[in-house]
Amino acid sequence: MVSLSRLLLAPLSLSLGMPHMTPMPEPSPFYWMLGEGLGLLIIAGLVAHFAPARRQRLRFTLMLYILALLTWLGSVGSEFLGWQQWRHEIAQGCDLLQILVLINLLAAVFFDLVRLFSRLTLASIITDMVLGVSYFVAVLHAMNKGGVHVSGIVATSAVVSGVIGLSLAPTIGNVLGGVALQLDNSISEGDWIQLDPNTQGRVKEIRWRHTVVETRNWDTIIVPNATLLSANITILGKRSDKPRQRRYWVYFNVDFRHAPEEVIRVVTEALQFAPITKVAAEPPPHAICLDLARDGKDSFGYYAARYWLTDLAVDDPTSSLIRERIFTALQRAGMSLAIPASTVFVSQDDPAHKERKEARELGRRLDMLSGLELFRDLTPDELSQIAARLHHTPFACGEVMTLQGRKAHWLYILSRGSAEVRVRREVPDAPEGVIEKVVREIHAPDFFGEMGLMTGEPRLATVVATTQAECYRLDKEAFQKILEERKELVATISLVLARRRSELVAARDNLDAEQKKAHMAVERDRLFNQIERFFGLKG
């Protein structure tokens, strides 16, 4: 460390214009060992707290420090025993080890801590090269200090390097390829690449000789760096100054009886109405018509849904969610996926069988309606009228069933599955100016959206399916004739609606029991009058 300190202080004294200044006394090896030990403890604590994944470098530094400490003790022991020649040799080794310890401590500070806090991305090969050059300079410094003729070794090593280079040409090509990949940043860790038509994977690490690629099947492929440089590699979803996302296609067919314009509208609305996990909002997902009857044989149109995936690791699961949305959207619209025209179905479809099938469905609907609070005062004939007017409306998990603020004059009866009732309200301090709160969970059998049906008011909450949900939609017209014939039902219905609305408002605004009771009394009178006006029952 003596010559190292002189090397650091000489430029300083020259820059200050004091070439004849008496050299400062140099610190003893003991103080160097003490300072490096304290520095190692401090840096180890910082790395363990802020960058625990980088502790491997510190383990190597600790081994070097232990070796330096042992050589220093050996030097002190040699001096005590009078072994001056051995002391000089051991001191040279201690000097080299102390320099290596210092290099690794500085590397831990700049490559681990400073890079972590500054959010800089630095290739691992770059750090290895810096450390390698530093080690090489340190060894040359130690050899020169020990009296070794360095220039002769360099000349000899040039010949040896040439022979080794010829025999290790492929390996050297891979090493240079790894350096080139990291320096030009053409491929980075985390990129998804396509090696051949059937192989895609994420770049996990770019090493000196090869690149590690992990496929979706959790297989690991070792690709020589020279191969990456010589082949055409597709980097999936990567564009300059744009978010990393890639377009995917989901294909489906619909019968000719449904106009392409309607099919596209129904599917596009279903894909855009509620967000889908890992699907980009911009560009939005949408449906297109690819073709009509191909070769004059098919009796259906060819369609596709296009979406942009933000996480390429979940391509198949996301496409599955898209298919669920398409299927339920087509069912709600009364459209069905196409089947080949040559398909033959053999079924028993005589009038008696059809009547039994319809009777079973009607009985199931009546059982469901009679168990709901809103319909308990209706007669069997009135329940039958409503059951016959129900429209089957399925929803996929994650779909928005009703949206807060929207106007829709129908309610939904949940016959299978579950959903969440969410209320949004403005909060100036919130990140987006609003917060959304889950105020209730709905489990079949239950109903929601009753305010839109009975009063025409906009939706008070958003309802989102949390499972695959089977619903029936009930329109205003189904209730119109019943209320006109039995106006006394308005009082019962208004009480039910007032109670459900008060529960919703109490959960949203944190009302206590007394406030909730007072709110329900006011709401009952208001809703009574509003239902009469909405259905034209006054006068």
Side-chain angles (χ1 to χ4, degrees):
M1 298 301 289
V2 173
S3 58
L4 179 62
S5 62
R6 287 178 178 169
L7 184 64
L8 294 174
L9 292 173
L12 179 61
S13 61
L14 289 174
S15 64
L16 295 176
M18 296 180 291
H20 302 294
M21 179 180 177
T22 303
M24 296 176 58
E26 298 177 0
S28 67
F30 170 76
Y31 292 111
W32 279 108
M33 295 301 303
L34 180 61
E36 288 184 342
L38 292 175
L40 181 59
L41 288 175
I42 294 172
I43 294 173
L46 293 174
V47 170
H49 182 72
F50 294 106
R54 303 288 183 176
R55 286 181 292 188
Q56 184 176 359
R57 191 196 307 278
L58 290 179
R59 295 191 188 101
F60 178 67
T61 307
L62 178 61
M63 293 175 56
L64 290 176
Y65 180 77
I66 293 174
L67 291 175
L69 182 61
L70 292 176
T71 55
W72 175 73
L73 292 175
S75 175
V76 173
S78 299
E79 184 178 8
F80 178 75
L81 296 174
W83 300 343
Q84 295 300 323
Q85 182 178 359
W86 286 103
R87 175 189 175 282
H88 177 73
E89 299 297 335
I90 296 175
Q92 292 295 325
C94 179
D95 189 16
L96 174 61
L97 290 171
Q98 286 178 336
I99 295 175
L100 295 180
V101 170
L102 181 60
I103 290 173
N104 279 275
L105 290 177
L106 293 175
V109 171
F110 288 103
F111 295 146
D112 297 333
L113 297 176
V114 173
R115 184 175 65 173
L116 177 67
F117 292 124
S118 61
R119 307 292 183 184
L120 293 176
T121 301
L122 196 61
S124 58
I125 288 181
I126 301 300
T127 61
D128 292 343
M129 290 179 64
V130 172
L131 284 175
V133 172
S134 301
Y135 291 162
F136 182 71
V137 172
V139 171
L140 289 183
H141 163 72
M143 294 173 63
N144 185 64
K145 183 181 176 183
V148 178
H149 189 55
V150 177
S151 59
I153 295 177
V154 172
T156 305
S157 63
V159 177
V160 176
S161 300
V163 175
I164 295 175
L166 291 175
S167 59
L168 298 179
T171 301
I172 294 174
N174 288 327
V175 171
L176 294 178
V179 174
L181 287 174
Q182 298 245 16
L183 290 179
D184 64 14
N185 201 31
S186 55
I187 298 178
S188 306
E189 293 181 6
D191 284 346
W192 279 87
I193 63 175
Q194 182 158 322
L195 301 175
D196 57 59
N198 300 317
T199 306
Q200 295 179 353
R202 176 188 289 162
V203 177
K204 299 296 291 184
E205 190 176 1
I206 300 177
R207 298 179 180 174
W208 284 94
R209 190 185 64 84
H210 62 265
T211 295
V212 181
V213 179
E214 186 179 275
T215 69
R216 289 190 172 90
N217 297 328
W218 289 1
D219 298 327
T220 299
I221 302 176
I222 306 299
V223 184
N225 290 328
T227 301
L228 290 178
L229 287 177
S230 61
N232 293 326
I233 303 297
T234 302
I235 304 177
L236 306 179
K238 187 174 182 179
R239 297 185 299 164
S240 300
D241 302 323
K242 298 291 184 181
R244 183 170 302 183
Q245 53 193 42
R246 186 170 188 254
R247 187 176 67 181
Y248 282 81
W249 298 72
V250 173
Y251 302 95
F252 61 99
N253 304 326
V254 179
D255 194 275
F256 274 148
R257 288 173 293 180
H258 309 293
E261 180 183 5
E262 279 301 300
V263 175
I264 293 172
R265 181 188 63 80
V266 166
V267 174
T268 300
E269 286 181 356
L271 296 178
Q272 296 182 6
F273 191 61
I276 304 173
T277 304
K278 306 301 183 182
V279 174
E282 288 295 334
H286 59 271
I288 60 173
C289 181
L290 295 175
D291 200 353
L292 298 178
R294 292 179 179 174
D295 301 327
K297 299 178 180 178
D298 301 325
S299 60
F300 50 78
Y302 292 82
Y303 297 88
R306 301 193 301 181
Y307 71 94
W308 280 258
L309 187 63
T310 59
D311 184 357
L312 273 61
V314 291
D315 55 343
D316 289 340
T318 306
S319 293
S320 178
L321 293 176
I322 295 291
R323 293 185 183 96
E324 290 181 23
R325 292 283 179 95
I326 294 172
F327 183 79
T328 53
L330 293 175
Q331 279 196 317
R332 287 196 299 272
M335 303 175 182
S336 58
L337 295 172
I339 57 176
S342 59
T343 302
V344 177
F345 290 96
V346 179
S347 62
Q348 185 180 3
D349 200 24
D350 58 274
H353 175 75
K354 184 177 180 181
E355 289 179 4
R356 289 194 300 270
K357 184 177 179 180
E358 292 176 351
R360 285 196 302 269
E361 174 63 17
L362 181 61
R364 191 168 73 89
R365 294 184 181 189
L366 288 173
D367 291 340
M368 178 182 61
L369 291 173
S370 60
L372 299 176
E373 183 182 20
L374 185 63
F375 308 105
R376 283 177 184 168
D377 290 341
L378 298 184
T379 65
D381 182 60
E382 292 167 342
L383 287 175
S384 298
Q385 293 180 43
I386 292 178
R389 299 289 297 271
L390 295 179
H391 178 70
H392 181 235
T393 312
F395 290 93
C397 179
E399 276 198 280
V400 173
M401 307 162 90
T402 64
L403 185 64
Q404 184 174 339
R406 288 283 184 93
K407 284 189 175 183
H409 299 161
W410 58 73
L411 66 77
Y412 288 106
I413 300 170
L414 183 65
S415 62
R416 183 172 67 88
S418 59
E420 285 182 347
V421 180
R422 305 174 183 177
V423 175
R424 293 170 60 92
R425 61 189 181 92
E426 295 183 0
V427 177
D429 297 335
E432 298 181 0
V434 295
I435 60 172
E436 188 173 70
K437 179 181 179 182
V438 177
V439 297
R440 190 161 68 94
E441 291 186 358
I442 303 176
H443 302 281
D446 205 340
F447 63 93
F448 57 92
E450 62 276 5
M451 291 297 178
L453 172 69
M454 303 304 301
T455 67
E457 292 183 359
R459 301 297 193 192
L460 298 175
T462 297
V463 180
V464 180
T466 54
T467 66
Q468 186 77 19
E470 294 288 338
C471 292
Y472 290 97
R473 192 178 71 197
L474 179 61
D475 298 330
K476 174 187 175 183
E477 290 74 15
F479 247 101
Q480 184 76 43
K481 184 178 180 181
I482 294 174
L483 291 182
E484 288 176 351
E485 295 177 353
R486 294 183 62 198
K487 296 183 179 180
E488 65 272 14
L489 289 175
V490 176
T492 303
I493 293 174
S494 61
L495 179 61
V496 174
L497 299 188
R499 181 164 58 251
R500 288 172 66 96
R501 177 157 187 168
S502 297
E503 291 174 354
L504 184 65
V505 173
R508 183 191 65 190
D509 299 337
N510 300 318
L511 302 181
D512 57 29
E514 290 298 325
Q515 292 173 320
K516 179 181 175 181
K517 184 178 179 180
H519 183 273
M520 189 173 71
V522 174
E523 280 296 300
R524 181 183 58 191
D525 295 337
R526 186 185 70 83
L527 290 171
F528 184 89
N529 295 325
Q530 196 163 351
I531 292 172
E532 286 193 327
R533 286 197 302 269
F534 186 61
F535 283 90
L537 304 177
K538 284 193 172 184

